[in-house]
Amino acid sequence: MNSRSLCAAHVLGLDESHLVQLPDSPHRLLPATAQAFCQMQQAARADGLDLALASSYRSFARQQLIWDEKFQGRRPVLDAQSQPLDIRTWGDLARIQAILRWSALPGTSRHHWGSDMDVYSPSLLPAGASLRLEPWEYEAGGYFAELSHWLTHNMARFGFYRPFADDQGGVAIEPWHLSHGTDSIRMAALLTPETLSQALSHSTLAGKACILEQLPVLWQQFIAPTLPSGTAL
Ligand SMILES: [Zn+2]
């Protein structure tokens, strides 16, 4: 796979032909990201930590299922304190903004790219507990604080960074979400408001009319991708 064979369908989660499957795993990533992840996993293991994928590639269709269930009140939408909100009586724009704190609009998820992943440590999860992917699990005192600390100090050696490290009023912090620098830059270059708008207008997404109308504002606050510091497209 070379960069010339990537196109808008790949960045939108509509084409999976750019991905490779990891050994003994259902997860799929871009080739360079997969190789770097396996090397980082070995280094973590040498330091006594198991590093596993909770999520890697996700298609537009899968993201739309999550989106539609949240929009229609069939799946919880959380507030800043990880408490469920009842958004069923809210207007479309308020619902969309609440969902976008934690879930990407289909077509804009970094999980479409193959360069991005959610990680955790199965052995640090207490028996009977289920993985939530909420910030407290990764903060001081949380199950995965040790893994999170290790990643902070080691991930850059393998080319990874955290695109959701700071909360600037858009997407909430996601310490579990890692991105491969060079691969993410290649993918981000393919995502434009025009290609996104075209894909959304052909979809059956819940809240579509409001999303298309508000796209320029939503793009600025929630969609414009964060890249490694110092990178400009
Ligand atoms: Zn993620």
Side-chain angles (χ1 to χ4, degrees):
M1 171 66 51
N2 59 48
S3 55
R4 277 170 301 184
S5 46
L6 287 169
C7 67
H10 293 117
V11 82
L12 294 165
L14 299 169
D15 185 326
E16 308 173 359
S17 62
H18 59 316
L19 306 174
V20 295
Q21 188 146 5
L22 270 71
D24 307 316
S25 155
H27 290 283
R28 285 176 295 166
L29 293 167
L30 277 162
T33 301
Q35 192 181 13
F37 176 77
C38 291
Q39 287 167 352
M40 184 164 70
Q41 196 175 34
Q42 279 173 15
R45 195 176 301 132
D47 287 342
L49 284 165
D50 71 321
L51 174 64
L53 292 171
S55 179
S56 51
Y57 171 74
R58 196 183 299 147
S59 67
F60 186 103
R62 172 72 193 142
Q63 192 70 18
Q64 183 177 347
L65 194 76
I66 297 169
W67 178 271
D68 288 353
E69 287 184 358
K70 288 194 171 184
F71 191 86
Q72 291 153 0
R74 292 184 285 125
R75 183 189 276 255
V77 176
L78 304 180
D79 68 10
Q81 283 73 47
S82 304
Q83 297 302 308
L85 295 164
D86 187 0
I87 66 167
R88 284 171 300 179
T89 57
W90 299 13
D92 284 5
L93 182 59
R95 288 191 209 198
I96 290 162
Q97 287 171 321
I99 300 168
L100 286 173
R101 283 284 289 167
W102 296 104
S103 290
L105 191 65
T108 75
S109 173
R110 298 181 69 111
H111 285 281
H112 298 332
W113 299 2
S115 57
D116 284 50
M117 62 202 68
D118 298 333
V119 301
Y120 76 119
S121 255
S123 65
L124 296 176
L125 191 66
S130 55
L131 180 65
R132 305 283 293 270
L133 294 182
E134 291 173 9
W136 60 269
E137 297 172 288
Y138 292 78
E139 288 163 359
Y143 314 141
F144 307 129
E146 193 185 347
L147 175 72
S148 192
H149 181 80
W150 188 91
L151 288 168
T152 300
H153 293 279
N154 292 280
M155 65 185 171
R157 282 198 283 138
F158 303 94
F160 291 97
Y161 68 108
R162 287 188 174 104
F164 307 120
D166 304 307
D167 186 350
Q168 291 165 346
V171 178
I173 65 154
E174 294 189 6
W176 54 84
H177 186 116
L178 308 184
S179 185
H180 187 263
T182 41
D183 272 351
S184 72
I185 292 166
R186 291 166 66 209
M187 297 309 292
L190 299 167
L191 183 64
T192 66
E194 293 72 29
T195 51
L196 175 63
S197 169
Q198 209 170 12
L200 294 178
S201 53
H202 288 105
S203 77
T204 56
L205 197 64
K208 181 170 102 171
C210 182
I211 292 164
L212 286 171
E213 191 186 290
Q214 299 290 332
L215 203 55
V217 176
L218 298 175
W219 180 275
Q220 287 305 324
Q221 193 180 358
F222 296 103
I223 301 172
T226 301
L227 294 172
S229 49
T231 310
L233 286 176

